[in-house]
Amino acid sequence: MLQLIKKILTTGVVTEKYKAPKDDELEQLGIQIKRHIDKSFSGSIAIRAVDAGSCNGCELEIHALNNPFYDIERFGIHFVASPRHADVLLVTGPVSRHMQTALLRTYEATPNPKWVIAVGDCAACGGEFGISYASCGAVTNVIPVDMTIVGCPPTPLALLKGLLGLINK
């Protein structure tokens, strides 16, 4: 035990100092989104993410929106646990047959007016899975979609651009 304490004391801190990166495109995009949200949605917009059978690549990028770099909460965008509180449904993945009913119930539980965004190539066209005994394919085959954000997976910046495009409609 004493050897371990001695090693800790003699080694010191070995990590580098963190310098927060500055992304001007993200800031400008965020300011535009915040302006539209303040004007049209009384200051905030609620998003419910729905995984309809994806590989989780899109979910990782969606979760990145909440990390300290992107921090979309500062722009008035927040994620909610219940579809009853949501304005927007972010649906990822090809809709598996087992998730079809759950997606329909989530869509029906979301109050009107609501938007649906299909996130990723699989949600847009069914991806490599297509329509089969286990997959309904694209999200549009199950519920109406207002916006599609393509990419495998789309970057957090692409997700924000897609959301701004939908708000501008």
Side-chain angles (χ1 to χ4, degrees):
M1 180 70 172
L2 291 174
Q3 288 177 339
L4 181 61
I5 293 173
K6 181 181 175 189
K7 185 175 183 177
I8 290 171
L9 293 174
T10 57
T11 304
V13 178
V14 293
T15 59
E16 298 176 7
K17 291 194 181 252
Y18 174 73
K19 182 180 175 191
K22 186 76 171 157
D23 190 348
D24 294 329
E25 183 180 9
L26 173 65
E27 291 299 319
Q28 293 301 321
L29 188 60
I31 291 168
Q32 286 179 320
I33 289 174
K34 181 69 175 151
R35 233 182 261 135
H36 287 291
I37 288 174
D38 287 344
K39 183 174 75 175
S40 303
F41 296 96
S42 300
S44 71
I45 192 167
I47 297 175
R48 171 70 172 124
V50 179
D51 180 354
S54 76
C55 68
N56 289 338
C58 295
E59 278 76 22
L60 292 173
E61 299 300 318
I62 290 170
H63 291 301
L65 290 171
N66 282 323
N67 72 22
F69 181 76
Y70 293 100
D71 188 24
I72 62 165
E73 290 272 340
R74 64 189 160 143
F75 305 130
I77 303 168
H78 61 277
F79 287 88
V80 293
S82 172
R84 297 190 190 284
H85 303 147
D87 302 308
V88 179
L89 292 178
L90 278 184
V91 186
T92 61
V95 182
S96 69
R97 299 278 180 201
H98 293 290
M99 283 298 294
Q100 183 179 8
T101 304
L103 180 60
L104 283 167
R105 286 182 180 169
T106 302
Y107 179 77
E108 290 166 2
T110 306
N112 288 323
K114 58 188 159 205
W115 288 331
V116 177
I117 302 176
V119 177
D121 290 341
C122 292
C125 65
E128 63 186 57
F129 306 101
I131 298 174
S132 69
Y133 70 93
S135 173
C136 298
V139 176
T140 55
N141 296 342
V142 180
I143 59 174
V145 172
D146 299 298
M147 165 75 69
T148 302
I149 302 173
V150 295
C152 187
T155 63
L157 206 54
L159 293 169
L160 285 175
K161 286 179 183 177
L163 188 60
L164 179 61
L166 185 61
I167 291 171
N168 283 336
K169 276 188 175 178

